[in-house]
Amino acid sequence: MSSSCIILFFLLLTIISVQTAIVKTQENTWKTKYFEQRVDHNDYRVNSLGSFKQRYLINGNSYKGGNFPIFFYTGNEGDITLFAKNTGLIWEFAAHFNALIIFAEHRYYGESLPFGSHSFANNSMLAFFTAEQALQDYVTLIEYLKATVASTNSPVVAFGGSYGGMLSAWLRMKYPGTVVGAYAASAPIWQFTSLTPCETFNSIVTRTYRGTNSNCPLNIRNSWKAIRGIFERGQPAKLKSLFHLCDDIKDKDELNALIAAINNVWVSMAMADYPYPANFLGNLPAWPVNYTCNILSKSPANEDALLMLISEAVQVFTNYSKDVKCFNIANGGDPPALSTNGWDYQSCTQMVMPMCSDGKNDMFEVQNWDFDAMTQYCIKEFRAVPREFWAVQTFGGKEAVAKAASNIYFTNGHLDPWSGGGVLTQLSPSLHAFVISDGAHHVDLRASNPHDTTAIKQARSIAKSLITKWVS
Ligand SMILES: *[C@@H]1O[C@H](CO)[C@@H](O)[C@H](O)[C@H]1NC(C)=O
Ligand SMILES: *[C@@H]1O[C@H](CO)[C@@H](O)[C@H](O)[C@H]1NC(C)=O
Ligand SMILES: *[C@@H]1O[C@H](CO)[C@@H](O)[C@H](O)[C@H]1NC(C)=O
């Protein structure tokens, strides 16, 4: 798997969050504030690098002060307002617990740029872009809030989804004096070398599709060869019209980009397999995988018939509203508003998440995990060298976490491919896990919806009782 694929995959976490704003029953509000944050937490010199403005969002409407809690969302890879718009659960919980709501932006994303517009200029400017520095930002901000707008007696609970969930869990592990517990939703803290096999992710995508009918993943698996066949027979124009592409397929690289974009469509729909319609690039129907696999349940008579079905199925994601002019494979069909820069760098340094596919246990083409190729890419792109074992060395492997950590609630959706790198079972009396059998990517953090399944509601009610214990 090429490194750019990995980057796209993780970027999707953000994108899926973006789309979730729609099914809100009421508008959740906040005030935007800025905190003067240290550029380098490990620099004690008088003439240090100085500070930058870290953005955070605050809502104190439910907060009663004193011993009442602070709910602190540990921002992940994107503009913090996206996460605030898509974590409706915090407002519901804050009302119940009389809590103060904070959403803190992750450095190098949104408006929280340590060196302003120069933050991505070169690897000296990027040197402070680490998860450790981000966690120290959160600790520093929490101490400031307790000393000013909140109370020093207020227990802090960390919340986060996806990479934000990893940060919540890591915040509790590294700074147990700062947060009393963490609600880590769809947090793949084990999606790293030596902890999770690289095939797991793609085999779960396939399982989610197969869960609706067995023809669906078979048709998808057969489509790759059919698509390549058209190109090899010298008919790129046929591909362009079949998939309503914006641009011609001029060479093998562009053919691979088309394949990668379609690949991303299937992955995204597994992550966004929510029980109600969501709005993203036009609308996505309720249960998009079921909807798509209904189209792909047939046994087409030949390759042309197969590709007609595939094109129709791809459009469930790219063109459900029927008004998208053409399929832009240059961005994999992603919204242009999202910048890939930040996550690209993080996956080239600390977030090395191996992925591969074998074409047998999954519905994708064979793609090996190639750490050396990725290293070459990262050196070329950022003059940075990825550290394959950073996560395990920094936070410990499975046994160390089970022994040393406490007060973390891990939730995962069984339909979500990221669940493969997540914590699915209770590790100790204070490390809880819940798998939402019909859930997708951090569906439980979203605002309650009339279509929520029993399992989604159960995940939230367990969270409520755990938080009650942590803050009492
Ligand atoms: C990196 O970029 C900054 C900001 O543009 C610049 O001041 C600095 O000289 C650059 N450093 C190197 C080593 O190129
Ligand atoms: C979306 O659907 C419309 C109407 O069927 C079609 O004209 C257009 O080409 C489609 N766009 C994509 C990206 O498939
Ligand atoms: C869609 O499929 C999931 C399993 O993947 C299942 O739990 C759900 O009930 C299905 N929804 C509908 C409307 O059939």
Side-chain angles (χ1 to χ4, degrees):
M1 171 130 332
S2 74
S3 45
S4 61
C5 266
I6 311 282
I7 289 143
L8 262 176
F9 272 146
F10 218 87
L11 178 69
L12 285 164
L13 301 188
T14 311
I15 293 163
I16 299 310
S17 307
V18 179
Q19 73 174 15
T20 56
I22 4 69
V23 205
K24 254 187 322 192
T25 43
Q26 88 231 21
E27 201 62 41
N28 295 322
T29 59
W30 59 75
K31 284 202 188 81
T32 304
K33 304 260 186 183
Y34 297 87
F35 176 64
E36 209 60 47
Q37 188 61 269
R38 259 180 224 110
V39 169
D40 182 3
H41 290 280
N42 309 310
D43 181 355
Y44 296 84
R45 296 171 302 176
V46 171
N47 56 344
S48 70
L49 283 165
S51 63
F52 69 100
K53 287 193 181 345
Q54 179 184 16
R55 180 167 54 161
Y56 67 96
L57 315 177
I58 182 166
N59 178 315
N61 294 351
S62 298
Y63 184 50
K64 297 246 174 78
N67 298 319
F68 289 104
I70 300 170
F71 289 169
F72 189 93
Y73 187 95
T74 50
N76 33 318
E77 73 283 21
D79 186 309
I80 192 62
T81 62
L82 299 178
F83 305 113
K85 283 175 193 154
N86 296 296
T87 311
L89 179 82
I90 284 202
W91 274 266
E92 297 173 15
F93 274 24
H96 176 83
F97 287 98
N98 303 316
L100 175 67
I101 300 173
I102 303 289
F103 280 80
E105 192 160 66
H106 191 298
R107 53 169 60 205
Y108 289 89
Y109 290 103
E111 296 181 5
S112 301
L113 302 171
F115 303 104
S117 60
H118 300 293
S119 298
F120 286 82
N122 53 47
N123 63 0
S124 312
M125 302 287 102
L126 285 164
F128 310 94
F129 193 176
T130 64
E132 291 93 330
Q133 296 270 7
L135 291 174
Q136 288 170 293
D137 288 343
Y138 298 152
V139 171
T140 311
L141 177 57
I142 287 169
E143 295 310 329
Y144 162 79
L145 291 168
K146 280 183 155 188
T148 55
V149 294
S151 156
T152 46
N153 296 325
S154 285
V156 182
V157 178
F159 284 72
S162 204
Y163 170 51
M166 297 162 76
L167 291 166
S168 287
W170 290 338
L171 188 60
R172 170 63 193 169
M173 290 179 202
K174 289 289 181 194
Y175 299 95
T178 301
V179 293
V180 296
Y183 181 172
S186 296
I189 61 163
W190 290 341
Q191 187 68 46
F192 294 101
T193 306
S194 80
L195 299 179
T196 298
C198 63
E199 305 83 17
T200 301
F201 186 94
N202 283 314
S203 70
I204 295 177
V205 180
T206 308
R207 180 183 74 193
T208 296
Y209 281 71
R210 197 185 292 123
T212 63
N213 71 74
S214 55
N215 269 351
C216 184
L218 281 183
N219 282 327
I220 292 172
R221 185 187 292 154
N222 291 336
S223 71
W224 310 117
K225 209 169 135 239
I227 293 168
R228 290 195 185 277
I230 294 178
F231 181 81
E232 276 149 23
R233 288 192 296 274
Q235 296 174 290
K238 187 171 165 183
L239 284 179
K240 187 181 181 188
S241 76
L242 182 66
F243 290 108
H244 309 134
L245 304 180
C246 299
D247 302 303
D248 294 332
I249 301 285
K250 291 186 289 293
D251 55 32
K252 191 79 184 279
D253 282 348
E254 291 180 358
L255 174 69
N256 289 335
L258 169 63
I259 299 257
I262 296 175
N263 203 311
N264 272 313
V265 165
W266 307 137
V267 171
S268 315
M269 283 199 286
M271 289 169 58
D273 203 12
Y274 300 131
Y276 41 82
N279 192 346
F280 171 52
L281 297 177
N283 306 313
L284 214 52
W287 297 110
V289 172
N290 312 42
Y291 190 97
T292 302
C293 284
N294 192 28
I295 297 169
L296 293 175
S297 63
K298 305 182 184 75
S299 302
N302 53 45
E303 278 196 351
D304 279 349
L306 168 66
L307 291 178
M308 290 298 287
L309 292 181
I310 293 287
S311 166
E312 195 186 336
V314 165
Q315 285 184 67
V316 174
F317 186 75
T318 60
N319 194 25
Y320 186 60
S321 59
K322 295 280 174 228
D323 61 3
V324 178
K325 287 249 152 46
C326 57
F327 184 16
N328 185 1
I329 59 171
N331 63 14
D334 300 340
L338 281 157
S339 150
T340 60
N341 245 359
W343 191 258
D344 197 1
Y345 178 77
Q346 287 197 276
S347 58
C348 266
T349 49
Q350 301 185 321
M351 305 297 156
V352 184
M353 301 185 161
M355 301 226 175
C356 62
S357 47
D358 63 9
K360 290 195 192 79
N361 295 311
D362 56 63
M363 61 187 192
F364 299 101
E365 292 187 300
V366 177
Q367 274 187 305
N368 299 319
W369 167 246
D370 187 343
F371 181 68
D372 294 333
M374 182 178 170
T375 303
Q376 291 316 310
Y377 166 83
C378 297
I379 291 172
K380 183 172 135 272
E381 200 65 23
F382 298 109
R383 304 221 39 82
V385 184
R387 296 195 193 153
E388 201 173 8
F389 296 100
W390 168 83
V392 181
Q393 288 163 351
T394 307
F395 301 105
K398 297 185 178 182
E399 281 178 30
V401 167
K403 277 191 194 138
S406 66
N407 289 6
I408 306 175
Y409 179 43
F410 294 100
T411 57
N412 278 281
H414 182 71
L415 307 176
D416 175 18
W418 292 105
S419 65
V423 179
L424 305 181
T425 55
Q426 174 134 9
L427 299 178
S428 77
S430 68
L431 293 174
H432 304 266
F434 185 78
V435 177
I436 304 168
S437 56
D438 49 14
H441 202 48
H442 52 69
V443 62
D444 45 323
L445 287 189
R446 300 159 57 99
S448 297
N449 183 288
H451 296 283
D452 284 336
T453 63
T454 308
I456 295 171
K457 290 181 199 158
Q458 212 179 334
R460 294 189 185 125
S461 88
I462 295 170
K464 214 177 228 178
S465 62
L466 290 173
I467 292 171
T468 305
K469 264 193 260 169
W470 296 340
V471 304
S472 68

